[in-house]
Amino acid sequence: MADDGDIVLSELPDGDLVKQMHDDLYDGLKDEIEEGVRILLKRGWTPYRTLTEALVEGMRIVGEDFRDGILFVPEVLLSANAMKAGMAILRPLLVETGAPRIGKMVIGTVKGDIHDIGKNLVSMMLEGAGFEVIDLGINNGVEKYLAAIEEHKPDIIGMSALLTTTMPYMKVVIDTLKEKGIRDDLVVLVGGAPLNEEFARSVGADAYCRDAAVAVETAKEFMMRKHNQRAAVRA
Amino acid sequence: MPPRRQLVLACGALAREVMAVLEANGLGHVAVRCLPASLHNDPKAIPGAVRAAVRESRAAFDDILVGYADCGTGGQLDALLQEEGLERLPGAHCYAFYAGVDAFAARAEADMRAFFLTDFLARQFETLVIEGLGLDRHPELRDAYFGHYETIVYLAQTDDAALTAKAQDAARRLGLAFERRFVGLGDLAPAIRSFAAPAATAPLLGAR
């Protein structure tokens, strides 16, 4: 038995354990998240259910409170680290069990920019939402995006920038996609602290994503549209 | 003809330097009002704060210079200044106008992995960087914030051994190399001198 006040995760029923994991994610408790994931798997939960109900839902709550100004960047980073630890356990199992894939995205921070906090968060949340994510990292020139498009045939390209001086590079990438005649084959999402919707429109992106949660919802929406268009063509 | 009433409405991080320019150039008639330097960590809040301060100051001043660069607002500050008919300091941020906007741009690629400090930021490193980013409570986040940086480049406004030591200590704490470049006040001084033109030739509100 636990000492007074301690919560023993393995003694909680599934519903309470998942709620506790949401709290632990909120508090950035990496060890507790790893333990919770292992308990759920041991109880026969599929990796996909564990990911979506325990981790992704927990991070959705974190994302909402970040948007509402209740949580700040340090707290979100701690939550992300905790989720990352849970994902590390689940990732190989998800591959084995063939979790549903709803789309493929190539994402990277643009040339001249080394900032990746937001991009990493988007990358992780998209993966949690069922996207295959190819993360190009930081300081990506247009040639790196083109090579990744050629190799991975993504549905979506994501570009991130933190600096006012580097965000115009997104237009260079999009203009190159147009020149190559492949712009309309791809959905282009952009994000980063100094960006806004007007900027996204001006560079020719499909959408501006103000945070990771919006990025996930936007990516899902575009995949749904694509799916519906294909269905309409087949009909 | 009464002298024009002029105001520099500046980021709190520039207070000492703006005052130094005014003093060195005999521009004691120019008033200075500062907004909280903590906005440095919250650029999206800068345009709203500037708008409110401009509107409060309109009645008392003929000319207002906004003592901000773009400062991470992604053009939102410029959009506001266009509406208000005002101008700001040149460049993307204070690092650029202290180093000289052109010189800073010329080194952009070489400095991609540089984290810049100014005199103000060296002085306020603990409050704005360590506490502002939560590193006092969660030092394990250091790599998430600074993992891709290599060097702290201290763009010094003054020759101050104590501040240099603070900047060096900041680099040590973040595990980064250290470089000091004396840049002085760079493009800040000409921008303020140009704004605070002699009364006889002073233009209409904000236009320069």
Side-chain angles (χ1 to χ4, degrees):
Chain A
M1 284 295 287
D3 294 331
D4 287 348
D6 278 358
I7 293 169
V8 178
L9 296 180
S10 60
E11 292 177 358
L12 297 175
D14 287 5
D16 290 349
L17 174 57
V18 167
K19 278 183 191 157
Q20 184 59 44
M21 287 175 72
H22 294 168
D23 288 349
D24 290 344
L25 256 183
Y26 198 92
D27 294 334
L29 302 176
K30 177 172 165 276
D31 294 346
E32 283 77 357
I33 289 300
E34 287 175 331
E35 188 187 347
V37 166
R38 289 199 176 96
I39 292 168
L40 288 173
L41 291 172
K42 205 171 166 185
R43 289 181 188 176
W45 278 46
T46 64
Y48 182 69
R49 185 179 176 203
T50 307
L51 174 68
T52 52
E53 293 185 28
L55 300 188
V56 173
E57 174 58 16
M59 279 305 284
R60 189 192 61 77
I61 298 165
V62 170
E64 273 186 6
D65 280 5
F66 176 63
R67 198 182 303 166
D68 293 344
I70 298 165
L71 288 180
F72 297 95
V73 172
E75 289 78 26
V76 174
L77 282 175
L78 291 169
S79 298
N81 282 346
M83 176 161 174
K84 199 170 163 187
M87 292 276 284
I89 298 169
L90 294 172
R91 193 174 288 114
L93 303 174
L94 287 162
V95 173
E96 278 174 27
T97 52
R101 282 274 173 233
I102 60 175
K104 195 189 276 190
M105 181 171 191
V106 163
I107 189 169
T109 303
V110 297
K111 188 175 178 180
D113 204 320
I114 62 167
H115 301 92
D116 62 358
I117 287 177
K119 185 266 297 167
N120 291 346
L121 200 55
V122 170
S123 184
M124 189 175 69
M125 291 296 284
L126 280 163
E127 191 184 346
F131 281 83
E132 183 182 347
V133 180
I134 297 100
D135 190 336
L136 303 179
I138 58 169
N139 186 30
N140 288 290
V142 65
E143 70 286 350
K144 288 192 191 164
Y145 286 100
L146 291 175
I149 291 166
E150 174 71 23
E151 183 183 349
H152 300 287
K153 311 280 187 290
D155 304 290
I156 303 173
I157 295 292
M159 289 188 280
S160 170
L162 182 75
L163 306 176
T164 301
T165 47
T166 56
M167 63 189 216
Y169 193 79
M170 292 175 179
K171 188 170 188 314
V172 174
V173 176
I174 293 171
D175 286 350
T176 308
L177 297 179
K178 284 179 187 164
E179 283 166 23
K180 301 270 177 195
I182 55 175
R183 169 65 186 89
D184 293 339
D185 302 337
L186 298 156
V187 172
V188 179
L189 305 182
V190 296
L195 278 67
N196 54 50
E197 282 172 15
E198 191 187 335
F199 173 81
R201 270 195 302 274
S202 73
V203 297
D206 290 300
Y208 157 69
C209 303
R210 68 175 174 173
D211 58 36
V214 170
V216 169
E217 288 314 308
T218 309
K220 280 170 144 177
E221 193 185 313
F222 275 104
M223 289 313 298
M224 182 67 76
R225 281 190 215 172
K226 197 168 179 177
H227 175 80
N228 292 345
Q229 279 165 1
R230 280 182 191 147
V233 169
R234 279 199 299 270
Chain B
M1 192 176 169
R4 295 188 70 80
R5 300 165 304 167
Q6 297 188 306
L7 171 71
V8 179
L9 178 62
C11 168
L14 306 181
R16 284 179 190 232
E17 290 72 20
V18 170
M19 296 300 289
V21 171
L22 295 177
E23 196 178 319
N25 291 276
L27 299 170
H29 70 283
V30 178
V32 179
R33 177 179 172 186
C34 287
L35 296 176
S38 56
L39 290 171
H40 175 83
N41 284 347
D42 188 12
K44 279 195 171 5
I46 291 174
V50 169
R51 184 193 298 273
V54 163
R55 293 193 174 168
E56 280 170 21
S57 306
R58 283 284 194 195
F61 294 95
D62 301 306
D63 308 323
I64 300 174
L65 173 67
V66 172
Y68 277 87
D70 175 78
C71 295
T73 65
Q76 294 299 295
L77 182 60
D78 284 338
L80 159 71
L81 297 184
Q82 197 172 1
E83 279 174 37
E84 298 286 341
L86 299 178
E87 295 211 359
R88 63 166 173 84
L89 298 173
H93 32 59
C94 56
Y95 319 124
F97 65 67
Y98 278 144
V101 172
D102 294 339
F104 190 87
R107 295 189 66 139
E109 200 172 333
D111 282 343
M112 185 175 67
R113 292 177 187 272
F115 184 78
F116 294 101
L117 294 182
T118 60
D119 280 10
F120 176 84
L121 285 172
R123 202 177 285 116
Q124 299 296 331
F125 183 77
E126 187 68 31
T127 307
L128 277 177
V129 180
I130 298 295
E131 291 171 21
L133 298 179
L135 289 168
D136 52 334
R137 291 166 287 132
H138 303 293
E140 70 273 23
L141 295 179
R142 191 207 77 97
D143 283 353
Y145 289 119
F146 295 99
H148 295 304
Y149 285 102
E150 291 174 350
T151 310
I152 275 199
V153 173
Y154 170 35
L155 300 172
Q157 279 65 68
T158 55
D159 275 319
D160 183 325
L163 275 186
T164 299
K166 270 179 177 271
Q168 257 173 328
D169 186 54
R172 184 192 55 74
R173 290 177 72 181
L174 296 181
L176 302 175
F178 177 74
E179 182 186 339
R180 179 182 183 275
R181 295 180 200 159
F182 179 81
V183 294
L185 297 171
D187 292 341
L188 177 67
I192 292 176
R193 280 197 300 265
S194 168
F195 163 73
T201 58
L204 292 176
L205 181 71
R208 286 190 293 123

